[in-house]
Amino acid sequence: MDYGYQRMYINAERVDAQSGQTIDVFDPAFGTVIARVPQGNSSDIDQAVRSARHCFDSGVWPGRPARERERILLDLAQIIRRERDILAQTEVKDCGKPLADALADIDEAAFILEYYGGWVTKLNGEIPPTNPEAMSLIVKEPIGVAGLIIPWNYPFLMAIQKIAPALAAGCTCVLKPAEQTPLTALALPKYLEEALLPPGAVNIVTGYGDEAGEALVKHPGVDMISFTGSLEVGRHIQKTAALQIKRVTLELGGKSPNIVFADTNLDDAVAKTCFGVFWNQGEVCSAGSRVIVQEPIYDEFLDRVDNYLSSIKMGCGTHPDTTMGPLISLEHQKRVQEHVKSAYKDGAQCRAKGTLPDDSALIHGYFVEPMVFTNVDMTMRIMREEIFGPVMAVMPFSTEDEAVTLANDTPYGLAAALWTNDIKRALAVAKKLRAGTVWINDSQPAPSEAPWGGYKQSGQGRELGRMGLEEYLETKHIYINLNRGINTPE
Ligand code: NAD
């Protein structure tokens, strides 16, 4: 399928980049160009920010009755549900993931719109008890124009995960999708218009990070940046935004531990541990890629992981049997292969490998076979750096304390999983793990009603849940002097 040339969206108009330059978009399963999009730069970002600024400052969006804003978000959710098949197909072509996963992403995006739509009419302030001759009103207000920068692993879900709370808070926004995966974001404008979102409330500029993304972060008309992406870029964004004391939320990478105690239900632990590493081709920020297994079950655990690996079906995401698609790009395929080489060089042993797709049509796709490494230790790159590919590293442990020490031995702190049938142990260990999400007897669920975000260098701030909405709000204290005496100073 060829998606042709897709324009950006500024002030409710489909526009080209002012430079006229474009970016090719690839189907990662075949390595072929399937679309072109504008290569927006600082001039385009400036137009988009002005449009968002006008929609905000004029009160067109934030000044609209809450129930009307709620209705628009709920209508948008309905439209997304209606269009789920076409959106999911586009997502598969754009980022390679299996169709079932893409459908789940679209469904969750619709739910997120409903969830935050519901919040619009429930954002109450507070009246704290202060001086009896005065009243303090604590009101929540939208922060203003939000710059939203997203990665390529969940293109549509991430876009909605940021747009929905921004709009619910009363903010307007400029979205910069990842240069690799702009297609589902660019499908949004017609749905936004059908839902009667006013012009300027959502603007979408495609382009590279160091041009369009950088310009969005630096623009003085942007009040906050919500960024999801790599640690390296997140660090750079935080430094740049600091010059304007701009609010920044950061959802960054991870190297999540997965601790398996010997008393667990092994069937469940193996299946979900493997899922937690290999789903979405391992291109998951919270992938539980550091697997720490208690000694008595170490060998059996590995045998069962081998079986799981042989059940993975690699291929084109649109094929109904496919459970693992290609990586996002040639560049990323090389990066993952570099990590694998370094694991061998450091002395890790490849215990098992999955198989590459046997379809000759896919020879130019960016596939990497899933792999399991043993003989690893915490000094190796494979145990310290985010690979963002289907690579599991497994090491044994003996005591609970040792497991916690190994799990926390990382600069990241996005998520952690632990497996045990002992509830007291589960809670004690969960409290000691330095991670924003701890899964007990599970891996990867991230319900949108609960907050998501990282400890340590996995980020700052939270996305999703009520906390995700609060990131887009300012707090104002209005003090009213109620003293009725004449000339009585407060
Ligand atoms: P990336 O940091 O390279 O790019 C992310 C986005 O930032 C893209 O839109 C890119 O164009 C933009 N960008 C790049 N340089 C920029 C700059 N100088 N200024 C402004 N924007 C810039 O990340 P990626 O390779 O697209 O995504 C993979 C990373 O995302 C992984 O590290 C992964 O862990 C992380 N991630 C985190 C979460 C989470 O919830 N914590 C979720 C998904 C992905």
Side-chain angles (χ1 to χ4, degrees), residues 79 96 98 470-471:
I79 295 166
E470 284 167 358
E471 301 288 355

Side-chain angles (χ1 to χ4, degrees), residues 218-242:
K218 284 185 174 161
H219 201 295
V222 174
D223 298 289
M224 76 167 279
I225 293 290
S226 174
F227 172 78
T228 301
S230 62
L231 169 59
E232 188 192 7
V233 174
R235 190 180 279 135
H236 173 73
I237 285 178
Q238 189 168 36
K239 272 196 219 161
T240 310

Side-chain angles (χ1 to χ4, degrees), residues 44 90 104 125 133 135 140 169 182 207 239 241 249 251 265 268 289 296 302 345 381 427 433 448 463:
D44 305 295
T90 307
E133 295 191 332
M135 183 180 272
K140 293 287 182 185
K239 272 196 219 161
T249 65
E251 298 292 339
N265 171 340
D268 248 23
S289 54
L302 285 170
K345 195 164 144 269
R381 278 183 65 195
L427 284 175
L433 292 173
S448 299
E463 206 149 63

